Amino acid sequence: MRREMVYGIMMLALLQLFCMISVQAKEKPVVGWTHTVFSINDNNPEHLLQKTDDTSESYQIASDAISNAISSKLENLQQEGKLPFQLQKNNMDMNASFTAATPIALVPIVVVDMAFDSDYRINDVRYYKSVVYSGVDLAFCCADEETGSWRILGMLPLRYYGVIGADASRTEPISREEKLQCFVRVTQDAIGQIKELKQDRSLWAELDNRSVTPETYQVTAVDISSAKAKELFGEENDSLKALIAGSFTSSYQQRTNHVLYPSRLTGGWVNDISRNLYSLQMQSPAGNLQVTMPKAAHEIRLDVTGIGKQELKLKDESAVQRDVAYKVWLAKSFTEGNEKAEVTKADIKQLSKVDTGGIRFDDSDVFRKLLIGAAVELGNQKI
């Protein structure tokens, strides 16, 4: 009788151990990675990572450099036990064979790859500057075997920027190739900043079931109600909206751990009314791919409500310089908890009082930087 009891206890312990192992195994879903970066295929000449007949070689080199950076970071995180999923590298294309082997895939989407050029004068010498912005959404997708597309379950947004000619060193216009090289560097820097993919994100919880929490969020619109901003940015309005949306999304997700979808402002998302989905065509060195996403449960609207500048009156005024304050206002459509509905961001520049060839700034450059900072601050508020 005693031997049977011991045997029963051992079997129970083994059963409990087996259950624990099974639970642990389920906690880390398998995610496939094909070492491929995708960019938006909308023939917009503003995109730096654009595949054309003239740019195919540089496009390949830039895409490979970004893919290598992602692979290196993922491998390091996996070795350190800081990935909430089991990474499965695969060299095959994202076709039916890949879908059968790995139903969940990591799809890096380059949604921001643009540069804003400006020039300024110091002592009658013209200098050139280019601010290069990078935005990569690491999208986790499940295969839609019926349509051959991939449905976005959630994503991790990365945002970074770099400046060429910030040190008054460029007296010639900056080439597109140099801007592309800068884009690759700042994207690699953004990837390098990833320290850990947090284990408590609700994105990972249901990844194996190819579904996520119904509480999803997305920036669906950025309004520019400020007449001054509309006039100042003109043709840049759409690009500015994409930058604001992406900057807010990145800081908002880092702060809240919410499941977010890519902003519909970053790229050529098409509304498929019959399927109640939004779809996006993308390109890569390995071929084209379509991704889809459903309508988010919580839609966020942002609004540039004002921009302005004013000369400051100081007690001890300079005879040759004046201080000018720049300020922007950015609002969010709905607030959570203790959030402010609107934030402001300001900066002060020293400008020449007389036309003697002193330092001159591009107003749009100053206001753009402030608006991006305001978007980060708006998304980073404590609830």
Side-chain angles (χ1 to χ4, degrees):
M1 180 70 177
R2 185 173 181 180
R3 182 180 299 174
E4 292 175 352
M5 288 179 61
V6 171
Y7 178 76
I9 292 172
M10 290 176 63
M11 290 298 294
L12 181 61
L14 288 171
L15 180 62
Q16 289 175 338
L17 178 61
F18 176 78
C19 291
M20 289 174 62
I21 293 173
S22 298
V23 169
Q24 289 175 355
K26 288 181 179 179
E27 286 180 352
K28 283 199 172 186
V30 175
V31 173
W33 161 236
T34 63
H35 196 79
T36 303
V37 171
F38 293 87
S39 57
I40 296 170
N41 185 14
D42 62 357
N43 296 316
N44 185 342
E46 289 187 357
H47 291 307
L48 295 173
L49 195 65
Q50 187 74 248
K51 184 179 180 181
T52 66
D53 293 339
D54 296 331
T55 63
S56 58
E57 183 177 354
S58 59
Y59 173 81
Q60 178 78 54
I61 294 171
S63 297
D64 287 347
I66 296 171
S67 296
N68 289 336
I70 294 174
S71 288
S72 178
K73 173 55 68 172
L74 290 175
E75 289 170 2
N76 290 339
L77 290 176
Q78 179 150 280
Q79 290 174 3
E80 296 169 1
K82 294 180 179 179
L83 282 184
F85 53 83
Q86 181 65 33
L87 182 67
Q88 179 175 304
K89 293 188 293 183
N90 203 318
N91 293 325
M92 67 178 70
D93 295 335
M94 295 180 69
N95 52 24
S97 300
F98 176 83
T99 302
T102 313
I104 303 296
L106 170 61
V107 181
I109 308 172
V110 175
V111 294
V112 178
D113 54 338
M114 61 185 70
F116 292 89
D117 300 329
S118 61
D119 60 82
Y120 55 98
R121 290 181 179 273
I122 301 178
N123 298 326
D124 280 337
V125 178
R126 173 171 287 185
Y127 296 93
Y128 293 86
K129 183 175 76 170
S130 186
V131 183
V132 179
Y133 291 95
S134 165
V136 178
D137 289 342
L138 300 181
F140 293 84
C141 307
C142 67
D144 185 341
E145 298 176 9
E146 182 180 344
T147 63
S149 62
W150 288 78
R151 180 166 60 89
I152 296 176
L153 301 174
M155 56 94 185
L156 300 177
L158 306 176
R159 297 295 183 272
Y160 228 58
Y161 76 93
V163 182
I164 306 174
D167 54 353
S169 61
R170 306 304 298 268
T171 56
E172 296 291 334
I174 300 162
S175 69
R176 179 186 176 85
E177 182 63 30
E178 188 171 356
K179 295 172 195 173
L180 176 59
Q181 293 173 3
C182 179
F183 166 76
V184 171
R185 288 195 301 271
V186 298
T187 303
Q188 291 171 325
D189 289 343
I191 295 166
Q193 293 296 317
I194 301 174
K195 302 300 181 185
E196 182 177 10
L197 301 185
K198 293 184 179 179
Q199 303 282 341
D200 60 349
R201 288 188 185 274
S202 53
L203 171 61
W204 319 121
E206 299 296 330
L207 212 55
D208 257 343
N209 301 326
R210 306 192 199 184
S211 63
V212 294
T213 171
E215 298 301 313
T216 53
Y217 297 74
Q218 182 184 46
V219 176
T220 57
V222 176
D223 300 317
I224 302 182
S225 59
S226 164
K228 288 183 179 179
K230 282 182 182 178
E231 181 181 358
L232 175 66
F233 291 105
E235 295 179 356
E236 287 186 8
N237 277 338
D238 289 343
S239 299
L240 177 66
K241 290 177 181 180
L243 287 175
I244 292 172
S247 299
F248 172 87
T249 296
S250 182
S251 64
Y252 184 70
Q253 187 181 58
Q254 289 178 22
R255 195 251 310 162
T256 64
N257 277 346
H258 287 335
V259 174
L260 271 84
Y261 292 142
S263 168
R264 298 204 297 263
L265 282 78
T266 53
W269 289 96
V270 177
N271 188 3
D272 187 341
I273 299 175
S274 63
R275 299 168 59 205
N276 197 27
L277 292 171
Y278 290 88
S279 63
L280 176 67
Q281 292 288 343
M282 304 183 301
Q283 61 183 357
S284 79
N288 296 334
L289 187 75
Q290 183 186 65
V291 292
T292 63
M293 63 182 176
K295 184 178 179 180
H298 302 278
E299 296 188 347
I300 299 171
R301 294 183 71 96
L302 305 177
D303 186 11
V304 180
T305 55
I307 65 171
K309 69 174 184 177
Q310 183 178 9
E311 185 172 344
L312 301 178
K313 301 298 182 182
L314 305 177
K315 290 183 178 180
D316 300 322
E317 288 193 14
S318 168
V320 295
Q321 288 188 337
R322 56 195 176 98
D323 292 326
V324 176
Y326 290 80
K327 193 171 185 178
V328 301
W329 289 261
L330 184 67
K332 180 172 178 272
S333 61
F334 73 92
T335 57
E336 304 167 80
N338 297 318
E339 281 187 332
K340 295 179 182 178
E342 187 176 65
V343 299
T344 62
K345 201 78 174 172
D347 193 12
I348 297 175
K349 299 292 184 183
Q350 288 188 329
L351 307 180
S352 175
K353 271 190 173 182
V354 292
D355 190 13
T356 58
I359 299 176
R360 304 174 192 172
F361 290 96
D362 185 335
D363 283 352
S364 62
D365 201 30
V366 178
F367 281 122
R368 188 187 306 110
K369 184 177 180 180
L370 287 175
L371 284 168
I372 292 172
V376 171
E377 185 176 321
L378 191 64
N380 202 35
Q381 295 184 84
K382 291 183 179 180
I383 298 178

